[in-house]
Amino acid sequence: MKSSAVYERLQTRLRDVTNLRAAAAVLEWDQEVNMPPKGTDARGRQLGTLNAHAHTLFTCEETGDLISQAGEDAEHLDPDARSLVNEAAYDYDRARRIPEVFVRRFSEARSRAYQAWLEARKRSDFALFLPHLETIVRLCREEAEYLGYRENPYDALLEGYERGMTTAELRRIFSVLGTSQRELTARIGAAQESPGPDWLRQSWDVNRQWEFSLRVLRDMGYDFDAGRQDRSAHPFTTNFSIHDVRITTRLSEDDFFSALFSSIHEGGHALYEQGFREEDEGLLLAAAPSLGMHESQSRLWENLIGRSLAFWTHYLPTLRELYPGQLDRVGAEQLYRAANRVSPSLIRVEADECTYNLHIILRFELEVALIEGNLAVADVPAAWNEKMKRYLGVIVPNDALGCLQDIHWSHGSFGYFPTYALGNLYAAQLFNTMKQEVPGFDAQIERGEFRGCLDWLRSRIHRTGRRKTAIEIIHEATGTPPEPGVFLAYLESKYGSLYNLG
Amino acid sequence: MKSSAVYERLQTRLRDVTNLRAAAAVLEWDQEVNMPPKGTDARGRQLGTLNAHAHTLFTCEETGDLISQAGEDAEHLDPDARSLVNEAAYDYDRARRIPEVFVRRFSEARSRAYQAWLEARKRSDFALFLPHLETIVRLCREEAEYLGYRENPYDALLEGYERGMTTAELRRIFSVLGTSQRELTARIGAAQESPGPDWLRQSWDVNRQWEFSLRVLRDMGYDFDAGRQDRSAHPFTTNFSIHDVRITTRLSEDDFFSALFSSIHEGGHALYEQGFREEDEGLLLAAAPSLGMHESQSRLWENLIGRSLAFWTHYLPTLRELYPGQLDRVGAEQLYRAANRVSPSLIRVEADECTYNLHIILRFELEVALIEGNLAVADVPAAWNEKMKRYLGVIVPNDALGCLQDIHWSHGSFGYFPTYALGNLYAAQLFNTMKQEVPGFDAQIERGEFRGCLDWLRSRIHRTGRRKTAIEIIHEATGTPPEPGVFLAYLESKYGSLYNLG
């Protein structure tokens, strides 16, 4: 077969796999947003069939042959085609290292662990989850052996979420982050008046919150002809193509910020997915290179733009119109302060910018110890509570608010948490460079003009897709590899002036 | 292999096929209800992949072997299992008669014809559609030859929508229907004052219409924990399992009846699909035996119950509450009359009970002539217009309001239209028997109690699924095979008294 014919057949195969995966994503979106309660069982079976078909189609010998034949003729391909073949080879190789029987076993264990976790969290009873978590850890260790690694079995898992990142490198980064963020949080704690301002404790009409979130998303550049926002219990972003990228948010009448920051966060993810190249549509390259890189986009929009004084300066008049009488005596500075309150708390997803990474470091340390075999699963609650006290100064009253709060372990997603912290670091590095390269950046934000920001992200990040790793992209875009310094300097500068720290 | 093992493998295979088809149905529902406009192309490709996988999985040799092995051991199976194997064999045999290459060719021709039809209808220019319709007719004739038939090639197509029904039988039924309905319509035309009542020409709040439709659906017995209603341009019913059956409706502020009757109609379809047996879930038996039988359920609820005096008597107080002041001088009798106005019109989907079948007979006659080769496609507009004048006394001003009004031909669905008329006949026959067998039927409806009606339909129709043909089900439930007399007697009685016909 001619090399171009092989390459075309490979493209067709990859598009078919993408189509099956996209169909599964539609079914999952529907499950969270629309599905009537009795539809659950059938939906589980439908997703099972779809995922099995997609997996089989991608990992079969025929796909492997197409990839290796296309790879042999790689010198006749243009650079994009070569990238595609390389990425396909990478995914194929990783998928084929795991035996089919193990995939099924792991999948069944996850389903059971998830059900047990739901119940355990509800009753705040770690014992109910313990045997399942033991199984999950054992299977993750087994998976690491199948996947292979050089130094640490945790590296093998990490690779699935943040390619090229290592346990050793994370330890180095997190050691710097942890010390500095604990120290900063302590200084803020001493300086901050609690509780928060009285004006926040009003009722905020949810329809107005919805309207405002749509307005901000539109301003950010989110294309509603290629997406939509809905409500769901847990906000998320999903895509079925470059031209159908959907987000969800949740609305709470008591909470002025929650829906907005959810929408901006998911909007940041969505802008990334709407920004891949048209010619990559349906192929592997229309994807982020890592979860950390994906998270950098959501956090950059949510925290570095959405929690800036310029942002609130621009939107204050809009908000006063939306909530007549409710914000008459509140200025942009007060909105900015309220959006940036720092208070060490029990729950990761509610954590502020100063303390968020501390929650991640705690989880990372426990995960590594579990995978290395240096921590027994039964000892997780005690270890969790001890670290919460040490890192955040918080006493954990029960496991529901402690080590049972996250879904990730029940899903078997060991190695996932660090990407949240990396997202923060990448975001700070990107933002720092963007501010230097986009003329009049702050003034643009104050005018509600996000086009300069979006264009910069499109050209440096979005349009690259998976052609480079996150580490390469950050290095090229900012001149330095991932490192904690820029993020820490950002925190120091922002919170130093907010709290008049010496 | 042991016979039970073969049967189990067959079940698993059929469930997998069902899961892929259900996934496609979710994607189609989403396309009509939620999808942002730019998502169209990717969705088309996703559906293409899903449908191809489902088709291949069902029509492959392995499935055929499972069916024939299970069939050879049929005497060891219980009756339900035998039914399943028989139905699988029937579908498999029919699907395998069509060559793969023809399936693809037809599918591509349909896509092109649909696009051409959209444009032709928009511009009211039949010439744009002509070459595509010629291709479709040629392919339908080719398909009929692949499928095989005894008397008439149209029989082969009809079989796909109304199993066991023949062109000859339809000619006999439609000849009686056509004569009687034309004559009744003429008598009503002479007796009816036009235009309709003044009170109808008010603005009807769409949120109240929505609320009312939900109320009626709930009263009918539609389970909202196993379904939902949404808005779409064209109302439809779809299901992804017995426990997830969704309907759509459309809302128009000017139209008091449109949303309601759409909801009741689709609700009738949905009650059927929520009423299949739990043990048939995911297998071929959880389906209607024909489109005519499915349509009988929607029409029975919409026309024979929803357009009855008892129905309006029950809901008048509710409606007066929903529309304060708007119905003060309107009684149940006037609502009933307004819901049953007769007026021959150009558009099938807007036709009343008296004239609807005349639209169908016209299409049936043209379809048969086209498939038999007795009518040239180029002569369709003239033949259409001539029949509209003769059957309905209506002058067709242009093809958009004439032979271009329906989507069906662009989809290649020759043989589909007659099932709408059969639905009317079946509904009248079922209703007639049900009224005799359910004690105090009219009084139940007047109290808004539909349980007796639903239970009767569940036991006589819904729970049978595909175990019998529509013709067998009607015969057993009513004592007579499908025939036009009961429907005509119903029309004569209802409209005779509404219009004081002699």
Side-chain angles (χ1 to χ4, degrees), chain A residues 94-134:
Chain A
R94 208 173 142 88
R96 290 278 293 197
R97 289 189 201 174
I98 317 278
E100 283 291 321
V101 57
F102 179 83
V103 171
R104 252 198 314 281
R105 200 147 55 91
F106 201 175
S107 164
E108 286 158 16
R110 275 199 302 260
S111 293
R112 283 191 298 269
Y114 173 67
Q115 293 304 324
W117 169 74
L118 284 175
E119 191 61 24
R121 190 181 57 163
K122 198 168 119 193
R123 302 206 205 167
S124 193
D125 183 353
F126 184 77
L128 294 176
F129 187 43
L130 174 60
H132 297 277
L133 186 54
E134 284 174 335

Side-chain angles (χ1 to χ4, degrees), chain B residues 245-310:
Chain B
V245 180
R246 306 187 189 181
I247 65 174
T248 70
T249 193
R250 57 180 153 202
L251 296 168
S252 157
E253 194 166 295
D254 302 333
D255 199 325
F256 181 76
F257 291 113
S258 157
L260 174 68
F261 284 131
S262 273
S263 289
I264 300 178
H265 181 98
E266 304 305 333
H269 282 305
L271 287 174
Y272 196 175
E273 299 192 338
Q274 287 184 341
F276 297 130
R277 292 189 206 170
E278 180 65 42
E279 63 265 35
D280 291 343
E281 167 81 314
L283 297 168
L284 295 176
L285 298 180
S290 80
L291 290 192
M293 182 55 85
H294 223 309
E295 194 70 9
S296 77
Q297 301 303 292
S298 56
R299 304 227 167 205
L300 189 151
W301 286 98
E302 179 191 353
N303 290 334
L304 291 102
I305 294 176
R307 293 184 206 268
S308 72
L309 181 57

Side-chain angles (χ1 to χ4, degrees), chain A residues 455-468:
Chain A
D455 284 346
W456 192 90
L457 293 171
R458 285 265 146 93
S459 74
R460 305 307 168 89
I461 314 288
H462 302 177
R463 294 180 58 72
T464 305
R466 258 182 76 172
R467 283 173 180 77
K468 293 170 184 163

Side-chain angles (χ1 to χ4, degrees), chain A residues 30 38 46 223 240 246, chain B residues 30 38 46 223 240 246:
Chain A
D30 179 77
K38 291 183 184 172
Q46 290 151 8
D223 181 356
F240 319 134
R246 305 188 189 180
Chain B
D30 179 77
K38 292 183 184 171
Q46 290 151 8
D223 180 356
F240 319 134
R246 306 187 189 181

Side-chain angles (χ1 to χ4, degrees), chain B residues 143-310:
Chain B
E143 188 180 21
E145 297 306 320
Y146 286 128
L147 291 169
Y149 52 90
R150 257 186 289 182
E151 283 186 15
N152 192 308
Y154 192 75
D155 290 348
L157 305 176
L158 198 52
E159 175 79 4
Y161 304 103
E162 198 68 25
R163 190 163 159 189
M165 186 54 70
T166 62
T167 311
E169 178 67 5
L170 279 181
R171 279 187 166 134
R172 192 186 65 75
I173 291 174
F174 284 172
S175 151
V176 178
L177 273 187
T179 309
S180 302
Q181 291 197 238
R182 268 141 66 185
E183 189 263 344
L184 177 63
T185 306
R187 280 155 63 212
I188 292 172
Q192 182 176 251
E193 76 289 4
S194 59
D198 282 342
W199 64 264
L200 261 183
R201 285 187 290 279
Q202 302 182 70
S203 165
W204 308 97
D205 182 89
V206 291
N207 294 324
R208 297 305 173 92
Q209 288 193 48
W210 182 259
E211 206 180 313
F212 184 55
S213 73
L214 295 181
R215 161 82 182 266
V216 172
L217 286 165
R218 205 166 275 121
D219 291 347
M220 285 164 64
Y222 177 74
D223 180 356
F224 279 93
D225 285 339
R228 51 183 284 133
Q229 179 174 260
D230 291 271
R231 294 176 73 163
S232 69
H234 302 282
F236 65 96
T237 303
T238 185
N239 84 82
F240 319 134
S241 92
I242 300 174
H243 304 297
D244 193 349
V245 180
R246 306 187 189 181
I247 65 174
T248 70
T249 193
R250 57 180 153 202
L251 296 168
S252 157
E253 194 166 295
D254 302 333
D255 199 325
F256 181 76
F257 291 113
S258 157
L260 174 68
F261 284 131
S262 273
S263 289
I264 300 178
H265 181 98
E266 304 305 333
H269 282 305
L271 287 174
Y272 196 175
E273 299 192 338
Q274 287 184 341
F276 297 130
R277 292 189 206 170
E278 180 65 42
E279 63 265 35
D280 291 343
E281 167 81 314
L283 297 168
L284 295 176
L285 298 180
S290 80
L291 290 192
M293 182 55 85
H294 223 309
E295 194 70 9
S296 77
Q297 301 303 292
S298 56
R299 304 227 167 205
L300 189 151
W301 286 98
E302 179 191 353
N303 290 334
L304 291 102
I305 294 176
R307 293 184 206 268
S308 72
L309 181 57

